[in-house]
Amino acid sequence: MGTSTQAYGEPWYWDNRYSSESGSFDWYQKYPSLAPLINLYIPRHVHPRILVVGCGNSAFSEGMVSDGYEDVVNIDISSVILDMDVRDMSEFQSGSFDAVIDKGTLDSILCGNDSRNNAPKMLKEVWRVLKDNGVYILVTYGAPVYRLQLLRDSCSWRIKLHVIDKLLSEEGSEHPIQELTNPVPIDDSGSSVEAVLGKNPDVHYIYVCTKDESLKPE
């Protein structure tokens, strides 16, 4: 299991996987489950330009287009899919996207070799390609005690936290652990989340990180 998990950070793993897979596969959550949150932070009426990193063979972007988003760009490190490394998106100009969506890409990089350097590289590139006040929506298994410091150390973000049940169906859950569109209060360390959600909740964490250039140190 350890070897397989570490391979998630390597391009060859994804090349092999996508070459042998038929059909689409969505990591963590499908678009209909996340749509209320996407609609909240990326309003369609402003005609946003959206970048989906680590798109793989997911149907997520197709779902966004069907939901009225007109300008969705996909990238993936696998040459079988698109062949662009999220750590170096120099083909994109700075400040060229209103939103970046990440379902598991940062997690994959954190599983791979040299993650201590590669994860900040990725986050800095995401920050660079976003417009000021653009949003980076990160869907991850990483709890705040493991993700907040990484996000804050990498770039100047305003961060809100949301959660969604891991086993949530497209029809929704009658009793979700927390309403998707209601932010979870977080303190500086992230330890306050346990008081709201309990210990080891079976959720995916969604960090809505707003680029704020005014927070950059002089």
Side-chain angles (χ1 to χ4, degrees), residues 81-134:
I81 305 295
L82 289 169
D83 196 15
M84 181 187 284
D85 192 337
V86 73
R87 297 167 298 179
D88 178 10
M89 298 187 285
S90 52
E91 291 184 31
F92 298 134
Q93 294 182 352
S94 298
S96 55
F97 290 95
D98 299 283
V100 175
I101 297 175
D102 169 5
K103 281 195 308 121
T105 298
L106 180 62
D107 288 353
S108 294
I109 285 178
L110 288 169
C111 288
N113 294 321
D114 200 20
S115 61
R116 182 171 293 187
N117 290 316
N118 287 329
K121 280 182 184 177
M122 171 193 163
L123 290 169
K124 287 173 181 173
E125 273 294 87
V126 167
W127 194 92
R128 182 187 66 80
V129 301
L130 278 171
K131 298 176 182 177
D132 194 26
N133 293 312

Side-chain angles (χ1 to χ4, degrees), residues 13-53:
Y13 170 85
W14 299 107
D15 286 346
N16 291 341
R17 176 167 180 149
Y18 294 137
S19 295
S20 61
E21 277 188 350
S22 59
S24 63
F25 178 81
D26 267 288
W27 288 87
Y28 296 170
Q29 300 284 337
K30 296 183 178 180
Y31 179 72
S33 298
L34 294 174
L37 194 71
I38 302 292
N39 296 162
L40 177 64
Y41 286 105
I42 314 175
R44 286 162 290 192
H45 70 271
V46 300
H47 305 292
R49 188 175 192 225
I50 301 164
L51 177 64
V52 178
V53 297

Side-chain angles (χ1 to χ4, degrees), residues 75-215:
I75 67 166
D76 196 276
I77 198 170
S78 171
S79 58
V80 176
I81 305 295
L82 289 169
D83 196 15
M84 181 187 284
D85 192 337
V86 73
R87 297 167 298 179
D88 178 10
M89 298 187 285
S90 52
E91 291 184 31
F92 298 134
Q93 294 182 352
S94 298
S96 55
F97 290 95
D98 299 283
V100 175
I101 297 175
D102 169 5
K103 281 195 308 121
T105 298
L106 180 62
D107 288 353
S108 294
I109 285 178
L110 288 169
C111 288
N113 294 321
D114 200 20
S115 61
R116 182 171 293 187
N117 290 316
N118 287 329
K121 280 182 184 177
M122 171 193 163
L123 290 169
K124 287 173 181 173
E125 273 294 87
V126 167
W127 194 92
R128 182 187 66 80
V129 301
L130 278 171
K131 298 176 182 177
D132 194 26
N133 293 312
V135 293
Y136 169 46
I137 297 180
L138 167 64
V139 185
T140 170
Y141 62 76
V145 292
Y146 302 111
R147 292 291 183 270
L148 274 181
Q149 198 62 48
L150 173 61
L151 290 166
R152 287 172 174 156
D153 287 349
S154 65
C155 305
S156 50
W157 304 109
R158 286 181 279 113
I159 302 173
K160 290 185 178 181
L161 174 67
H162 296 256
V163 296
I164 186 169
D165 295 66
K166 284 184 179 178
L167 301 178
L168 188 65
S169 69
E170 293 185 15
E171 290 76 27
S173 171
E174 289 184 10
H175 304 289
I177 193 169
Q178 171 87 1
E179 288 296 331
L180 175 61
T181 55
N182 291 342
V184 179
I186 47 174
D187 57 10
D188 287 343
S189 68
S191 58
S192 62
V193 171
E194 187 175 310
V196 179
L197 304 178
K199 193 170 184 178
N200 300 320
D202 194 23
V203 299
H204 287 125
Y205 298 90
I206 306 169
Y207 299 87
V208 180
C209 308
T210 302
K211 177 178 178 178
D212 189 343
E213 293 186 334
S214 70
L215 297 176

